[in-house]
Amino acid sequence: MLDVALERGSEGDLLLADMGQGLGLRPGVIDGAISISAVQWLCNADKSCHNPRLRLKAFFGSLYRCLARGARAVLQFYADNVKQSEMIVTAAMRAGFAGGVVIDWPHSSKAKKSYLVLTCGPPSLHSSLPKGKGQDGVMCSDDDESNDGSGDDDEAQTVGIYERNRPKKRQKTKKNGKGKAWLLNKKEQMRRRGRDVPADTKYTGRKRKSYF
Amino acid sequence: MRLLTHNMLASNARGAVTGYPLKLQVVKWSTKEVEPNADFLRGILPKLDWPALVAATHALGLPELLPETPPTDAELSAEGAAEEEGGPLRRLHRALLEIHIEEGTLVCPDTERCFPISRGVPNMLLHEDEVRN
């Protein structure tokens, strides 16, 4: 990928590094960070010496350190399953971040994208997470009890993930009932088949009381 | 790699106390001119580690490019600062954004571990035994 970037030319600078080893950046220098389809790979152990949890810890810990106060990081990722998603979010929270997951187009398996939106330290206002696209939904807005770097494992996590594809309850009946036109049509069909059908009168298809 | 990036990079290897600033050994560098953006430069100034930046220019063989003390915000936001050739804003701009290091090495000040730079891309990958736990 670096070769492609070198070939195409990029405005910024390029680095070759492994984020699971920790970001090698001076503390507090970064004002914002984005990641596209990268974080989920930390959950894989590509070598026998890789421990996904430690790699996630190294990444989020170093990210927290190099971000300035109030800075934001948005990481777009594809999680294979809920367990992976939870692993990633837990690691982020343990590092001291506040925030949560925003899911765009939760119902479409093709367009669905998960964004881990993180803020570093207390945000300037009690900002809530942006709304994901694709549905009106509840988003998790985080409570900011984030301590500076202490990240205890046992502390209650301050984020909840809401996936906005809550299945709706089955409605009793979708049809409005069969209309008079349908009824008359059906009677005609039956006559053609040779069956005995009562004549069509003004009472045909009339609404009756429920006891009927 | 620009000096702006160099100013932010540190060694994350085991044994490094801060791993910063990385000593620069340059084999090849080039200049690519670009329009200065005064707002950007004023915004980034407080984030820079000035001694590290000056040391990097010395390593390149440009000791006169930057002064020993950083310019003030007033100097950078002065009228016509961007047009003044050789003025503080243009010097800072040249140092941070126009100099590209193509080939060389970054050396950790604590452990002397070398990170090579090739085709303008520094290789910061650590071996398994160097990763901090």
Side-chain angles (χ1 to χ4, degrees), chain A residues 11 13 16 21 26 31, chain B residues 2 5 7 47 124 126:
Chain A
E11 268 191 45
D13 281 346
L16 174 57
Q21 294 177 339
R26 190 160 49 92
D31 292 321
Chain B
R2 297 181 180 86
T5 307
N7 203 265
K47 292 252 158 111
M124 310 298 289
L126 301 174

Side-chain angles (χ1 to χ4, degrees), chain A residues 178-195:
Chain A
K178 297 170 180 170
K180 189 164 177 185
W182 174 87
L183 186 59
L184 293 173
N185 200 15
K186 202 74 182 169
K187 289 179 84 170
E188 204 38 58
Q189 262 185 4
M190 290 296 164
R191 281 187 200 110
R192 272 185 246 134
R193 288 189 202 171
R195 293 192 169 258

Side-chain angles (χ1 to χ4, degrees), chain A residues 2-3 6 10-18 21-26 28-31 47 49 54 68, chain B residues 1-2 5 7-12 20 47-49 100 119-128 131-133:
Chain A
L2 272 181
D3 289 333
L6 281 170
S10 67
E11 268 191 45
D13 281 346
L14 302 169
L15 268 187
L16 174 57
D18 181 349
Q21 294 177 339
L23 301 170
L25 295 167
R26 190 160 49 92
V29 282
I30 305 291
D31 292 321
K47 294 185 189 165
C49 55
L54 286 181
Chain B
M1 182 187 73
R2 297 181 180 86
T5 307
N7 203 265
M8 317 231 155
L9 278 179
S11 166
N12 200 22
Y20 184 85
K47 292 252 158 111
L48 296 172
D49 181 313
H100 293 254
R119 297 168 71 192
V121 180
N123 182 341
M124 310 298 289
L125 289 171
L126 301 174
H127 306 301
E128 281 104 56
V131 181
R132 267 190 231 262
N133 270 339

Side-chain angles (χ1 to χ4, degrees), chain A residues 57-162:
Chain A
K57 181 178 171 188
F59 168 62
F60 282 112
S62 57
L63 183 65
Y64 190 84
R65 272 193 303 278
C66 74
L67 284 176
R69 213 144 216 258
R72 219 173 232 236
V74 180
L75 316 171
Q76 187 269 311
F77 67 101
Y78 296 105
D80 267 347
N81 48 51
V82 176
K83 192 161 175 240
Q84 248 192 23
S85 184
E86 277 177 12
M87 208 167 141
I88 294 172
V89 179
T90 313
M93 295 305 133
R94 284 193 185 148
F97 281 114
V101 180
V102 177
I103 303 181
D104 274 3
W105 312 111
H107 299 299
S108 157
S109 58
K110 199 169 147 199
K112 178 175 178 176
K113 286 202 164 39
S114 307
Y115 298 89
L116 181 56
V117 181
L118 303 172
T119 46
C120 204
S124 44
L125 299 164
H126 211 79
S127 49
S128 54
L129 292 173
K131 259 195 177 161
K133 292 182 194 167
Q135 191 180 344
D136 289 333
V138 180
M139 262 346 293
C140 55
S141 161
D142 209 40
D143 187 24
D144 296 309
E145 295 259 31
S146 46
N147 309 309
D148 292 334
S150 38
D152 260 335
D153 290 0
D154 300 321
E155 293 305 314
Q157 290 173 28
T158 53
V159 71
I161 307 170
Y162 296 85

Side-chain angles (χ1 to χ4, degrees), chain B residues 48-113:
Chain B
L48 296 172
D49 181 313
W50 194 258
L53 185 62
V54 174
T57 56
H58 283 252
L60 278 168
L62 301 170
E64 286 97 41
L65 183 57
L66 294 175
E68 289 300 320
T69 51
T72 59
D73 188 61
E75 285 177 327
L76 292 183
S77 40
E79 279 290 319
E83 285 76 36
E84 186 195 338
E85 289 294 335
L89 191 145
R90 289 226 77 134
R91 283 169 181 271
L92 180 61
H93 171 72
R94 179 164 151 77
L96 281 183
L97 298 173
E98 289 185 340
I99 293 176
H100 293 254
I101 300 174
E102 307 288 341
E103 308 282 334
T105 315
L106 295 166
V107 184
C108 173
D110 302 324
T111 58
E112 303 296 316
R113 205 273 201 204

